[in-house]
PDB file of all heavy atoms in Angstrom:
ATOM      1  N   GLY A   1     102.142 113.127 120.892  1.00 96.00           N
ATOM      2  CA  GLY A   1     102.849 112.700 122.085  1.00 96.00           C
ATOM      3  C   GLY A   1     103.737 111.492 121.935  1.00 96.00           C
ATOM      4  O   GLY A   1     104.409 111.096 122.895  1.00 96.00           O
ATOM      5  N   VAL A   2     103.810 110.890 120.742  1.00 97.00           N
ATOM      6  CA  VAL A   2     104.623 109.691 120.561  1.00 97.00           C
ATOM      7  C   VAL A   2     105.976 110.042 119.956  1.00 97.00           C
ATOM      8  O   VAL A   2     106.220 111.163 119.510  1.00 97.00           O
ATOM      9  CB  VAL A   2     103.921 108.649 119.658  1.00 97.00           C
ATOM     10  CG1 VAL A   2     102.524 108.334 120.179  1.00 97.00           C
ATOM     11  CG2 VAL A   2     103.874 109.117 118.203  1.00 97.00           C
ATOM     12  N   SER A   3     106.858 109.057 119.926  1.00 98.00           N
ATOM     13  CA  SER A   3     108.108 109.143 119.192  1.00 98.00           C
ATOM     14  C   SER A   3     107.973 108.215 117.990  1.00 98.00           C
ATOM     15  O   SER A   3     107.763 107.011 118.144  1.00 98.00           O
ATOM     16  CB  SER A   3     109.278 108.695 120.075  1.00 98.00           C
ATOM     17  OG  SER A   3     110.492 108.686 119.346  1.00 98.00           O
ATOM     18  N   HIS A   4     108.064 108.772 116.783  1.00 98.00           N
ATOM     19  CA  HIS A   4     107.788 108.024 115.556  1.00 98.00           C
ATOM     20  C   HIS A   4     108.995 108.124 114.638  1.00 98.00           C
ATOM     21  O   HIS A   4     109.445 109.221 114.301  1.00 98.00           O
ATOM     22  CB  HIS A   4     106.551 108.615 114.870  1.00 98.00           C
ATOM     23  CG  HIS A   4     105.993 107.770 113.776  1.00 98.00           C
ATOM     24  ND1 HIS A   4     104.679 107.332 113.768  1.00 98.00           N
ATOM     25  CD2 HIS A   4     106.548 107.275 112.633  1.00 98.00           C
ATOM     26  CE1 HIS A   4     104.462 106.613 112.678  1.00 98.00           C
ATOM     27  NE2 HIS A   4     105.576 106.574 111.973  1.00 98.00           N
ATOM     28  N   ALA A   5     109.527 106.968 114.220  1.00 97.00           N
ATOM     29  CA  ALA A   5     110.701 106.933 113.354  1.00 97.00           C
ATOM     30  C   ALA A   5     110.313 106.625 111.923  1.00 97.00           C
ATOM     31  O   ALA A   5     109.407 105.832 111.668  1.00 97.00           O
ATOM     32  CB  ALA A   5     111.697 105.885 113.850  1.00 97.00           C
ATOM     33  N   ILE A   6     111.015 107.243 110.982  1.00 96.00           N
ATOM     34  CA  ILE A   6     110.886 106.920 109.564  1.00 96.00           C
ATOM     35  C   ILE A   6     112.230 106.334 109.120  1.00 96.00           C
ATOM     36  O   ILE A   6     113.270 106.960 109.266  1.00 96.00           O
ATOM     37  CB  ILE A   6     110.493 108.162 108.723  1.00 96.00           C
ATOM     38  CG1 ILE A   6     110.280 107.790 107.265  1.00 96.00           C
ATOM     39  CG2 ILE A   6     111.465 109.297 108.877  1.00 96.00           C
ATOM     40  CD1 ILE A   6     108.925 107.247 106.954  1.00 96.00           C
ATOM     41  N   LEU A   7     112.209 105.104 108.610  1.00 91.00           N
ATOM     42  CA  LEU A   7     113.424 104.387 108.242  1.00 91.00           C
ATOM     43  C   LEU A   7     113.428 104.082 106.759  1.00 91.00           C
ATOM     44  O   LEU A   7     112.392 103.726 106.195  1.00 91.00           O
ATOM     45  CB  LEU A   7     113.514 103.064 109.002  1.00 91.00           C
ATOM     46  CG  LEU A   7     113.496 103.120 110.518  1.00 91.00           C
ATOM     47  CD1 LEU A   7     113.524 101.718 111.084  1.00 91.00           C
ATOM     48  CD2 LEU A   7     114.657 103.919 111.030  1.00 91.00           C
ATOM     49  N   GLY A   8     114.582 104.196 106.151  1.00 86.00           N
ATOM     50  CA  GLY A   8     114.700 103.870 104.743  1.00 86.00           C
ATOM     51  C   GLY A   8     116.081 104.202 104.238  1.00 86.00           C
ATOM     52  O   GLY A   8     116.798 105.002 104.835  1.00 86.00           O
ATOM     53  N   PRO A   9     116.488 103.611 103.120  1.00 82.00           N
ATOM     54  CA  PRO A   9     117.823 103.851 102.582  1.00 82.00           C
ATOM     55  C   PRO A   9     117.957 105.240 101.986  1.00 82.00           C
ATOM     56  O   PRO A   9     116.978 105.967 101.811  1.00 82.00           O
ATOM     57  CB  PRO A   9     117.965 102.769 101.496  1.00 82.00           C
ATOM     58  CG  PRO A   9     116.564 102.522 101.057  1.00 82.00           C
ATOM     59  CD  PRO A   9     115.734 102.651 102.297  1.00 82.00           C
ATOM     60  N   ASN A  10     119.179 105.609 101.656  1.00 81.00           N
ATOM     61  CA  ASN A  10     119.438 106.887 101.016  1.00 81.00           C
ATOM     62  C   ASN A  10     118.648 106.969  99.708  1.00 81.00           C
ATOM     63  O   ASN A  10     118.677 106.054  98.893  1.00 81.00           O
ATOM     64  CB  ASN A  10     120.942 107.008 100.725  1.00 81.00           C
ATOM     65  CG  ASN A  10     121.339 108.402 100.327  1.00 81.00           C
ATOM     66  OD1 ASN A  10     120.621 109.362 100.578  1.00 81.00           O
ATOM     67  ND2 ASN A  10     122.501 108.526  99.701  1.00 81.00           N
ATOM     68  N   GLY A  11     117.916 108.062  99.515  1.00 83.00           N
ATOM     69  CA  GLY A  11     117.112 108.227  98.315  1.00 83.00           C
ATOM     70  C   GLY A  11     115.712 107.666  98.412  1.00 83.00           C
ATOM     71  O   GLY A  11     114.951 107.723  97.444  1.00 83.00           O
ATOM     72  N   ALA A  12     115.340 107.157  99.586  1.00 87.00           N
ATOM     73  CA  ALA A  12     114.012 106.558  99.735  1.00 87.00           C
ATOM     74  C   ALA A  12     112.904 107.597  99.852  1.00 87.00           C
ATOM     75  O   ALA A  12     111.735 107.282  99.644  1.00 87.00           O
ATOM     76  CB  ALA A  12     113.987 105.640 100.965  1.00 87.00           C
ATOM     77  N   GLY A  13     113.269 108.827 100.209  1.00 91.00           N
ATOM     78  CA  GLY A  13     112.269 109.879 100.338  1.00 91.00           C
ATOM     79  C   GLY A  13     112.130 110.456 101.726  1.00 91.00           C
ATOM     80  O   GLY A  13     111.272 111.321 101.959  1.00 91.00           O
ATOM     81  N   LYS A  14     112.967 110.034 102.673  1.00 93.00           N
ATOM     82  CA  LYS A  14     112.850 110.492 104.057  1.00 93.00           C
ATOM     83  C   LYS A  14     113.008 112.007 104.168  1.00 93.00           C
ATOM     84  O   LYS A  14     112.177 112.692 104.753  1.00 93.00           O
ATOM     85  CB  LYS A  14     113.898 109.804 104.949  1.00 93.00           C
ATOM     86  CG  LYS A  14     113.848 108.301 104.989  1.00 93.00           C
ATOM     87  CD  LYS A  14     114.773 107.736 106.054  1.00 93.00           C
ATOM     88  CE  LYS A  14     116.212 108.160 105.941  1.00 93.00           C
ATOM     89  NZ  LYS A  14     116.889 107.614 104.739  1.00 93.00           N
ATOM     90  N   THR A  15     114.102 112.525 103.604  1.00 93.00           N
ATOM     91  CA  THR A  15     114.377 113.950 103.732  1.00 93.00           C
ATOM     92  C   THR A  15     113.359 114.782 102.959  1.00 93.00           C
ATOM     93  O   THR A  15     112.953 115.862 103.419  1.00 93.00           O
ATOM     94  CB  THR A  15     115.810 114.264 103.268  1.00 93.00           C
ATOM     95  OG1 THR A  15     116.732 113.609 104.158  1.00 93.00           O
ATOM     96  CG2 THR A  15     116.084 115.756 103.297  1.00 93.00           C
ATOM     97  N   THR A  16     112.916 114.296 101.808  1.00 95.00           N
ATOM     98  CA  THR A  16     111.874 115.013 101.058  1.00 95.00           C
ATOM     99  C   THR A  16     110.599 115.100 101.883  1.00 95.00           C
ATOM    100  O   THR A  16     109.963 116.164 101.966  1.00 95.00           O
ATOM    101  CB  THR A  16     111.581 114.308  99.722  1.00 95.00           C
ATOM    102  OG1 THR A  16     112.752 114.348  98.906  1.00 95.00           O
ATOM    103  CG2 THR A  16     110.438 114.991  98.989  1.00 95.00           C
ATOM    104  N   LEU A  17     110.215 114.003 102.516  1.00 97.00           N
ATOM    105  CA  LEU A  17     109.029 114.004 103.376  1.00 97.00           C
ATOM    106  C   LEU A  17     109.181 115.024 104.501  1.00 97.00           C
ATOM    107  O   LEU A  17     108.258 115.799 104.790  1.00 97.00           O
ATOM    108  CB  LEU A  17     108.813 112.600 103.952  1.00 97.00           C
ATOM    109  CG  LEU A  17     107.705 112.453 104.996  1.00 97.00           C
ATOM    110  CD1 LEU A  17     106.345 112.858 104.431  1.00 97.00           C
ATOM    111  CD2 LEU A  17     107.654 111.010 105.518  1.00 97.00           C
ATOM    112  N   ILE A  18     110.346 115.055 105.118  1.00 97.00           N
ATOM    113  CA  ILE A  18     110.587 115.987 106.216  1.00 97.00           C
ATOM    114  C   ILE A  18     110.562 117.434 105.720  1.00 97.00           C
ATOM    115  O   ILE A  18     110.035 118.326 106.395  1.00 97.00           O
ATOM    116  CB  ILE A  18     111.921 115.653 106.917  1.00 97.00           C
ATOM    117  CG1 ILE A  18     111.732 114.423 107.815  1.00 97.00           C
ATOM    118  CG2 ILE A  18     112.437 116.835 107.727  1.00 97.00           C
ATOM    119  CD1 ILE A  18     112.994 113.953 108.506  1.00 97.00           C
ATOM    120  N   ARG A  19     111.079 117.676 104.538  1.00 96.00           N
ATOM    121  CA  ARG A  19     111.094 119.046 104.019  1.00 96.00           C
ATOM    122  C   ARG A  19     109.702 119.529 103.642  1.00 96.00           C
ATOM    123  O   ARG A  19     109.400 120.715 103.769  1.00 96.00           O
ATOM    124  CB  ARG A  19     112.065 119.142 102.847  1.00 96.00           C
ATOM    125  CG  ARG A  19     113.520 119.111 103.304  1.00 96.00           C
ATOM    126  CD  ARG A  19     114.508 119.084 102.172  1.00 96.00           C
ATOM    127  NE  ARG A  19     115.879 119.137 102.692  1.00 96.00           N
ATOM    128  CZ  ARG A  19     116.966 118.877 101.980  1.00 96.00           C
ATOM    129  NH1 ARG A  19     116.836 118.553 100.696  1.00 96.00           N
ATOM    130  NH2 ARG A  19     118.165 118.939 102.531  1.00 96.00           N
ATOM    131  N   VAL A  20     108.868 118.624 103.173  1.00 97.00           N
ATOM    132  CA  VAL A  20     107.472 119.003 102.934  1.00 97.00           C
ATOM    133  C   VAL A  20     106.789 119.276 104.270  1.00 97.00           C
ATOM    134  O   VAL A  20     106.078 120.284 104.431  1.00 97.00           O
ATOM    135  CB  VAL A  20     106.722 117.895 102.163  1.00 97.00           C
ATOM    136  CG1 VAL A  20     105.227 118.216 102.099  1.00 97.00           C
ATOM    137  CG2 VAL A  20     107.281 117.732 100.760  1.00 97.00           C
ATOM    138  N   LEU A  21     107.012 118.406 105.223  1.00 97.00           N
ATOM    139  CA  LEU A  21     106.391 118.530 106.541  1.00 97.00           C
ATOM    140  C   LEU A  21     106.767 119.834 107.226  1.00 97.00           C
ATOM    141  O   LEU A  21     105.936 120.462 107.897  1.00 97.00           O
ATOM    142  CB  LEU A  21     106.827 117.336 107.403  1.00 97.00           C
ATOM    143  CG  LEU A  21     106.438 117.316 108.869  1.00 97.00           C
ATOM    144  CD1 LEU A  21     104.931 117.223 109.033  1.00 97.00           C
ATOM    145  CD2 LEU A  21     107.125 116.142 109.582  1.00 97.00           C
ATOM    146  N   THR A  22     108.013 120.278 107.032  1.00 97.00           N
ATOM    147  CA  THR A  22     108.494 121.497 107.697  1.00 97.00           C
ATOM    148  C   THR A  22     108.323 122.743 106.819  1.00 97.00           C
ATOM    149  O   THR A  22     108.915 123.782 107.101  1.00 97.00           O
ATOM    150  CB  THR A  22     109.969 121.336 108.100  1.00 97.00           C
ATOM    151  OG1 THR A  22     110.744 120.932 106.962  1.00 97.00           O
ATOM    152  CG2 THR A  22     110.120 120.288 109.198  1.00 97.00           C
ATOM    153  N   THR A  23     107.527 122.629 105.758  1.00 97.00           N
ATOM    154  CA  THR A  23     107.115 123.730 104.864  1.00 97.00           C
ATOM    155  C   THR A  23     108.256 124.270 104.014  1.00 97.00           C
ATOM    156  O   THR A  23     108.154 125.376 103.476  1.00 97.00           O
ATOM    157  CB  THR A  23     106.447 124.897 105.622  1.00 97.00           C
ATOM    158  OG1 THR A  23     107.437 125.679 106.298  1.00 97.00           O
ATOM    159  CG2 THR A  23     105.410 124.402 106.628  1.00 97.00           C
ATOM    160  N   GLN A  24     109.336 123.524 103.842  1.00 96.00           N
ATOM    161  CA  GLN A  24     110.445 124.014 103.020  1.00 96.00           C
ATOM    162  C   GLN A  24     110.181 123.848 101.531  1.00 96.00           C
ATOM    163  O   GLN A  24     110.672 124.650 100.734  1.00 96.00           O
ATOM    164  CB  GLN A  24     111.727 123.268 103.391  1.00 96.00           C
ATOM    165  CG  GLN A  24     112.181 123.492 104.823  1.00 96.00           C
ATOM    166  CD  GLN A  24     113.384 122.634 105.140  1.00 96.00           C
ATOM    167  OE1 GLN A  24     114.506 122.942 104.742  1.00 96.00           O
ATOM    168  NE2 GLN A  24     113.171 121.548 105.856  1.00 96.00           N
ATOM    169  N   ILE A  25     109.475 122.783 101.151  1.00 96.00           N
ATOM    170  CA  ILE A  25     109.132 122.570  99.753  1.00 96.00           C
ATOM    171  C   ILE A  25     107.644 122.217  99.658  1.00 96.00           C
ATOM    172  O   ILE A  25     107.058 121.720 100.621  1.00 96.00           O
ATOM    173  CB  ILE A  25     109.983 121.457  99.099  1.00 96.00           C
ATOM    174  CG1 ILE A  25     109.800 120.118  99.834  1.00 96.00           C
ATOM    175  CG2 ILE A  25     111.441 121.848  99.038  1.00 96.00           C
ATOM    176  CD1 ILE A  25     110.532 118.962  99.169  1.00 96.00           C
ATOM    177  N   ARG A  26     107.065 122.473  98.507  1.00 96.00           N
ATOM    178  CA  ARG A  26     105.642 122.209  98.300  1.00 96.00           C
ATOM    179  C   ARG A  26     105.454 120.835  97.676  1.00 96.00           C
ATOM    180  O   ARG A  26     106.239 120.418  96.814  1.00 96.00           O
ATOM    181  CB  ARG A  26     105.025 123.273  97.388  1.00 96.00           C
ATOM    182  CG  ARG A  26     105.042 124.670  97.970  1.00 96.00           C
ATOM    183  CD  ARG A  26     104.626 125.694  96.917  1.00 96.00           C
ATOM    184  NE  ARG A  26     103.220 125.545  96.561  1.00 96.00           N
ATOM    185  CZ  ARG A  26     102.223 126.219  97.126  1.00 96.00           C
ATOM    186  NH1 ARG A  26     102.497 127.095  98.092  1.00 96.00           N
ATOM    187  NH2 ARG A  26     100.988 126.049  96.747  1.00 96.00           N
TER     188      ARG A  26
END
């Protein structure tokens, strides 16, 4: 129920984390 932000520079791992979370990569 919350709004949670992930912040970090380009290459920090944000998109990789999101892709694992959304089952796109293992």
Side-chain angles (χ1 to χ4, degrees):
V2 306
S3 176
H4 192 124
I6 183 83
L7 302 177
N10 192 19
K14 302 189 304 293
T15 295
T16 296
L17 174 60
I18 284 177
R19 286 175 177 167
V20 172
L21 173 65
T22 53
T23 76
Q24 297 175 77
I25 59 176
R26 296 171 68 93

